[in-house]
Amino acid sequence: MPQQVKIVTGWSNPGGSTTCIINLAKKLIDSGYDVEVFGPHDWHIHELARQGYNVGFGSKYFSCKEDDIIISHFAMLGPIKAKKKIYWCHEMSNFMNLTDDMMEPYDKVVFVSEVQRQSHSLQSDKSTVIPNVIEKIKWSNPNNKVAGVIGSIDANKQTHISVQRALDGGFEKVYLYGNVTDKVYYEHFIAPLLSDKVQLRGHCDNKEEMYNSIEAVYHSA
């Protein structure tokens, strides 16, 4: 029997972290693991199925056996028994600062970069750095003087700063690719910027189509 891995996330709607979770699940399955993914939203279920991987479930179905490996993201798990419990952190400390007390129930804490790990207050030796699985995308520069800001539109991403940087960088248009996840932030900082030059494009599943519509990407999270 293959080793069972259960990935539990507190966010499974479109976004960078969910895409990383989907890519990890696919990589583990292709490596011979039995994988299930649990989250509160349905997008990850449909996206995995669209790519031929039927491993998505709602969070209400989550259960754990003692020989399971559990990977949790943006979801703190209680004192459950498992073969190994891993906390997978995608966020910098200004969003949620991890400490030794918070991570005591976990066997391992995985960060996606050394800069990110150093931003947190975790002092124990249980942390490690494993970069996210990155998709290869064919890109040809459209030479259209259009920049992109990609990701959920909220205060943590500081979308408005990226927009201004792109305009200051000489781009004639800026496309915002991502869903609005903070309506108050959107109304105050993004809505006033929208025009023919700054366009809200929403989430785009087709990454090659998205990236091939822009010359450069700005990110200010």
Side-chain angles (χ1 to χ4, degrees), residues 109-160:
V109 182
V110 175
F111 295 99
V112 299
S113 72
E114 184 60 37
V115 171
Q116 181 208 18
R117 173 162 67 172
Q118 293 298 328
S119 78
H120 288 266
S121 299
L122 193 65
Q123 300 297 317
S124 71
D125 59 0
K126 65 171 58 177
S127 70
T128 190
V129 174
I130 304 176
N132 285 322
V133 177
I134 302 298
E135 297 174 88
K136 292 183 178 180
I137 295 173
K138 294 180 180 179
W139 177 76
S140 298
N141 192 335
N143 294 309
N144 56 2
K145 296 185 179 179
V146 178
V149 180
I150 299 173
S152 300
I153 297 174
D154 57 40
N156 184 55
K157 295 292 194 297
Q158 300 188 109
T159 309
H160 67 292

Side-chain angles (χ1 to χ4, degrees), residues 8-216:
V8 185
T9 178
W11 177 265
S12 51
N13 257 342
S17 63
T18 311
T19 297
C20 292
I21 288 168
I22 289 170
N23 289 341
L24 175 64
K26 291 159 51 181
K27 190 75 170 179
L28 290 171
I29 292 168
D30 292 342
S31 299
Y33 290 90
D34 181 8
V35 179
E36 294 179 335
V37 184
F38 301 84
H41 314 101
D42 291 338
W43 183 74
H44 74 296
I45 300 175
H46 303 307
E47 186 63 14
L48 280 162
R50 185 182 69 83
Q51 299 182 46
Y53 296 85
N54 296 307
V55 298
F57 299 93
S59 57
K60 64 182 179 181
Y61 298 111
F62 174 70
S63 62
C64 175
K65 301 190 296 292
E66 291 190 14
D67 58 348
D68 290 342
I69 294 175
I70 308 299
I71 301 174
S72 66
H73 160 259
F74 201 46
M76 295 295 179
L77 300 180
I80 60 176
K81 292 184 178 180
K83 182 177 181 179
K84 182 177 285 187
K85 291 185 291 185
I86 301 167
Y87 189 83
W88 188 19
C89 182
H90 293 202
E91 295 78 28
M92 296 288 282
S93 61
N94 64 326
F95 186 79
M96 180 176 62
N97 184 30
L98 301 188
T99 64
D100 290 325
D101 289 342
M102 292 169 61
M103 294 295 100
E104 193 279 330
Y106 291 90
D107 301 296
K108 206 74 176 176
V109 182
V110 175
F111 295 99
V112 299
S113 72
E114 184 60 37
V115 171
Q116 181 208 18
R117 173 162 67 172
Q118 293 298 328
S119 78
H120 288 266
S121 299
L122 193 65
Q123 300 297 317
S124 71
D125 59 0
K126 65 171 58 177
S127 70
T128 190
V129 174
I130 304 176
N132 285 322
V133 177
I134 302 298
E135 297 174 88
K136 292 183 178 180
I137 295 173
K138 294 180 180 179
W139 177 76
S140 298
N141 192 335
N143 294 309
N144 56 2
K145 296 185 179 179
V146 178
V149 180
I150 299 173
S152 300
I153 297 174
D154 57 40
N156 184 55
K157 295 292 194 297
Q158 300 188 109
T159 309
H160 67 292
I161 294 178
S162 293
V163 170
Q164 191 58 56
R165 288 173 57 210
L167 294 174
D168 291 345
F171 288 95
E172 296 178 357
K173 290 187 177 182
V174 182
Y175 293 163
L176 307 184
Y177 283 110
N179 288 337
V180 176
T181 54
D182 184 336
K183 291 183 178 179
V184 173
Y185 169 80
Y186 170 80
E187 293 296 337
H188 280 81
F189 291 94
I190 303 302
L193 299 177
L194 298 180
S195 64
D196 289 340
K197 295 187 67 173
V198 181
Q199 300 179 16
L200 184 63
R201 293 294 182 99
H203 173 77
C204 180
D205 284 335
N206 190 324
K207 294 182 178 61
E208 286 196 1
E209 177 183 303
M210 176 177 66
Y211 281 104
N212 279 284
S213 72
I214 54 183
E215 286 192 34

